[in-house]
Amino acid sequence: MKHLFTLILLLTVSAGLSAQGYEVGDNAVDFELKNIDGKMVSMSDYKSAKGIIVIFTCNSCPYAKLYEDRIIELNNKYESKGYPVIAINPNDKDRQPEDSFDKMKVRAEEKGFTFPYLYDETQEVAMTYGATKTPHVYLLKKSGNTYEVVYIGAIDDNPQNPNDVNTKYVENAIEEIEAGKSVSEDYTRAIGCTIKWKS
């Protein structure tokens, strides 16, 4: 499966994917990563989904911690409407031991995560997406058998205090999709810690 993913990744790059990763309007390639329960998870597992909220996040980043409750709320609010959260930890455990797979399991249990928390050990998925921060959101809209990237960026406009949020970017985007509209604000700057890439 790893060889197949590498082949798909190479084909995607050769087909014109920018070095920066996905842009709004691109189709996202499926992935298969290990969840904290030991099972492999891919987007194709979500047969009835209308879209997927892919969030690159981690245990260690203060910004990621500030958003944990809001990520849980996003999944609780939108999974039943067809937009589940898939959280992915892209950090190198050697550079940031707090982001190891074992520590991910502990953190997910502590916080009561209601969504998959996947380990991108090779960092290939993060590189394919072009993720740079934790957290970094990619909202995907399902169209037939493909997933189109319709929003990239932050969850909302106030990392520090959820009570002072003025604009909920991800929620607004989903509501516009549900209303049959295009996403009016489809890109914002992700605010968080830089991904800890392998040396």
Side-chain angles (χ1 to χ4, degrees):
M1 187 64 193
K2 185 176 179 182
H3 296 302
L4 176 61
F5 177 83
T6 303
L7 177 62
I8 292 171
L9 179 63
L10 290 171
L11 289 172
T12 304
V13 172
S14 65
L17 178 67
S18 74
Q20 283 72 42
Y22 292 141
E23 296 179 355
V24 171
D26 288 342
N27 287 331
V29 177
D30 202 358
F31 52 76
E32 186 176 54
L33 295 172
K34 186 165 69 171
N35 190 18
I36 49 170
D37 63 3
K39 297 177 181 177
M40 303 303 289
V41 172
S42 64
M43 294 193 298
S44 59
D45 296 332
Y46 292 81
K47 306 295 185 188
S48 61
K50 295 191 242 178
I52 295 176
I53 308 166
V54 176
I55 304 178
F56 292 90
T57 187
C58 66
N59 296 341
S60 61
C61 173
Y63 287 95
K65 291 177 181 177
L66 285 167
Y67 272 111
E68 284 173 329
D69 290 338
R70 280 175 269 184
I71 294 172
I72 293 169
E73 288 172 9
L74 270 177
N75 190 64
N76 290 347
K77 183 172 182 178
Y78 289 106
E79 182 181 28
S80 62
K81 298 181 180 181
Y83 300 87
V85 165
I86 296 179
I88 301 174
N89 172 20
N91 279 352
D92 177 25
K93 68 180 188 305
D94 294 326
R95 290 193 59 198
Q96 181 49 268
E98 193 179 337
D99 290 323
S100 71
F101 185 71
D102 286 340
K103 295 284 181 66
M104 287 171 60
K105 291 191 282 188
V106 172
R107 188 63 180 170
E109 185 174 352
E110 286 175 349
K111 292 298 297 182
F113 284 176
T114 57
F115 45 81
Y117 189 22
L118 312 182
Y119 189 33
D120 186 13
E121 188 170 10
T122 65
Q123 302 185 317
E124 288 179 346
V125 176
M127 287 187 284
T128 299
Y129 272 70
T132 59
K133 304 285 188 181
T134 53
H136 204 153
V137 181
Y138 291 77
L139 177 61
L140 312 179
K141 176 187 174 184
K142 193 172 185 180
S143 178
N145 293 320
T146 62
Y147 279 97
E148 179 189 353
V149 180
V150 293
Y151 171 79
I152 300 172
I155 292 170
D156 56 42
D157 66 353
N158 196 312
Q160 299 294 341
N161 191 342
N163 295 321
D164 292 335
V165 169
N166 290 314
T167 307
K168 297 182 177 182
Y169 302 123
V170 175
E171 291 197 25
N172 288 352
I174 294 173
E175 296 299 337
E176 286 178 325
I177 293 168
E178 284 290 275
K181 302 175 183 177
S182 57
V183 178
S184 57
E185 191 165 15
D186 58 18
Y187 179 86
T188 61
R189 185 168 66 92
I191 297 173
C193 305
T194 56
I195 289 175
K196 305 303 182 283
W197 300 105
K198 293 179 183 292
S199 301

